[in-house]
Amino acid sequence: MTSEESEGLESRTESIANEVDETTAAEAKPQSPGSQLEEVTVCTALSGVALADLSHSQLIDLNQNALNDLVPNRPLIEGVEPISALRAEYESGSPRFRTQIDGLTDAGFRLLRRARGDGDCFYRAVGFAFVEQIFGDQEQDMAVASALSLLESSLEWLDAVGFQRLVYEDFYDTLCGLIQNIATPEMNGSVLTEATLLDQFQHPEASNSIVAFLRLLTSSHLRLNEEEYSPFLFHPELGEPMNVRDFCENFVEGSGKEADHVQITALCRILRLNVKVAYLDGRSDTVDFVDFQNDSTSKRFITLLYRPGHYDILLTDDGSPSAAALV
Amino acid sequence: MNVKTSGNQTAVRRLMTEYKQLTAGGAPDGMFTAGPISESDFFTWEALICGPKDTPFEGGVFAAKLTFPSDYPLSPFKMKFEPPLFHPNVYPDGTVCISILHTPGDDPTMYELASERWSPVQCVEKVILSVISMLAEPNLESGANIDCCKLYRENKKEYERIVRQSIREQLGLH
């Protein structure tokens, strides 16, 4: 190898390392499909395979593999870590992010639970927090029963918008089975604990089923309340108004589609959750919180940390998701 | 083959439910049948589709292989006519190109925004019904077989003749 070559190789390795760093830091916002396809083109051109020789299905596979590679292989949802770890990632970046993170720390949010940046993060984070908050309830059996009855009553909305039973029943069973298992042991005597909850949510089958169910719930709520939501339904990239059906089919029901204000509002209403979203955007020195309050009888909040294109869960010192008193 | 079926219980359960529903209810007007090719592999199905009436496909029966991903129904299945079908929206290798088999944002042929997309609310039955209406009314905006699209636009009679001819050949009538 000539020195020139080795230099080239080094700088390439370095640039890959940087890319990995950036992805880790910004949690890989899924790129538009166009740019992924471009990347595939480049890769195959480099390895000397003519793209034109590939069949359509091979191309799809190739694109899918490239897409999978773009999302770092992190757990779907992670264990709790100190928010200082997040701050460290911005050490060489914008000081405003660090100032904002310091503000969160001062407000009592010292812990963070990350969700994978695969476009499902909002639904996964909310699903996790929805089940997790049952553990924090003083009357756990009661909380289990009311969560189950809430979900059961939501089925009539799914029916009302014409989703077939076969479409949602397996997803529904997964989520309900999990919640049920907090109070009722399985055949082998095991019950769901906070630790096994994390296991379940890291397991793609269960985790993605729950995400799919929450997406269907969100869609049904939007469709049934069309009049209320239609002024707010816009194409996320084109900015053009959309009808509720097109919006749900394109930006709610399919997996990997990111959630925005409309979807957040809808899902939090359905699950009767009080949610605070902390906007960590580097635009000012303080963090803005946006409240989605749907249960006036409870003082508890789930807090999500938003960074452009991504959601994680924020927790207070004692690991509790609620910090109503602090904000 | 058990490796595949033990991979994802959600997919297997869903496919069994769909299969049960298809066999119990039957397809509307008996236009198609679909089911797993073998009991040991629920992820590969065969569909037999009758050519819709008042189209050049009338009288033909077309076999298609459906290949399901392990994360079905989160991801769509693939559908391939075997042997390939001469149609603007079918690739020369037989793979069907229709928006309902693509997730939103996956745009091999730049489908219109309003076109129906894959999500878990879709199912085998809905897709095959869409394919049947596609046979009757090709979507020239998102063509898969360029030559066929061109022929359809410029000489529809010749296109129809080729389709009818291929059906006769398939039935052994030359």
Side-chain angles (χ1 to χ4, degrees), chain A residues 33 55-57 60-61 63 163-164 166-167 169-171 174 205 208-209 212 216 235 238 242 245-246 249-251 253-255 257, chain B residues 7-10 13-14 17-18 21 73-74 78 91 93 95 102 104-106 108 113-123 126:
Chain A
S55 78
H56 175 67
S57 49
I60 290 180
D61 288 344
N63 192 26
F163 293 149
Q164 295 182 68
L166 72 86
V167 159
E169 63 186 356
D170 294 334
F171 302 147
T174 304
E205 197 175 336
N208 292 335
S209 291
L216 294 178
H235 190 289
L238 307 175
M242 293 181 79
R245 202 191 128 189
D246 287 348
E249 285 181 355
N250 284 284
F251 300 110
E253 290 158 18
S255 50
K257 285 296 180 184
Chain B
N8 189 322
Q9 290 307 316
T10 313
R13 265 202 306 275
R14 166 73 178 251
T17 315
E18 288 200 42
Q21 190 163 309
L74 299 177
K78 286 175 195 156
Y91 284 96
D93 76 345
T95 305
H102 293 280
D106 171 18
L113 186 63
S115 58
E116 208 165 6
R117 295 315 190 112
W118 179 264
S119 80
V121 300
Q122 308 293 7
C123 58
K126 281 196 190 170

Side-chain angles (χ1 to χ4, degrees), chain B residues 33-172:
Chain B
T33 62
I37 292 172
S38 125
E39 277 182 15
S40 60
D41 177 13
F42 245 88
F43 288 82
T44 313
W45 286 27
E46 186 180 58
L48 293 172
I49 298 173
C50 294
K53 275 187 187 141
D54 305 320
T55 74
F57 294 95
E58 183 172 353
V61 177
F62 309 98
K65 196 163 120 185
L66 316 183
T67 316
F68 296 88
S70 61
D71 65 346
Y72 183 79
L74 299 177
S75 301
F77 59 92
K78 286 175 195 156
M79 180 167 179
K80 188 176 179 183
F81 281 108
E82 291 179 344
L85 200 69
F86 189 63
H87 185 280
N89 303 113
V90 177
Y91 284 96
D93 76 345
T95 305
V96 178
C97 183
I98 187 169
S99 67
I100 196 173
L101 283 179
H102 293 280
T103 47
D106 171 18
D107 268 306
T109 53
M110 305 295 281
Y111 298 115
E112 285 170 37
L113 186 63
S115 58
E116 208 165 6
R117 295 315 190 112
W118 179 264
S119 80
V121 300
Q122 308 293 7
C123 58
V124 173
E125 180 179 353
K126 281 196 190 170
V127 170
I128 295 184
L129 290 177
S130 294
V131 169
I132 291 172
S133 47
M134 177 197 85
L135 290 182
E137 286 175 49
N139 177 1
L140 296 180
E141 302 297 312
S142 54
N145 183 333
I146 311 294
D147 295 334
C148 184
C149 279
K150 196 162 173 265
L151 186 64
Y152 187 94
R153 262 198 216 102
E154 293 169 0
N155 190 350
K156 198 170 163 190
K157 280 225 159 67
E158 174 64 7
Y159 158 77
E160 294 181 346
R161 192 195 65 76
I162 293 178
V163 171
R164 287 204 190 88
Q165 172 71 25
S166 69
I167 293 170
R168 275 198 300 277
E169 279 169 17
Q170 186 201 13
L171 296 173

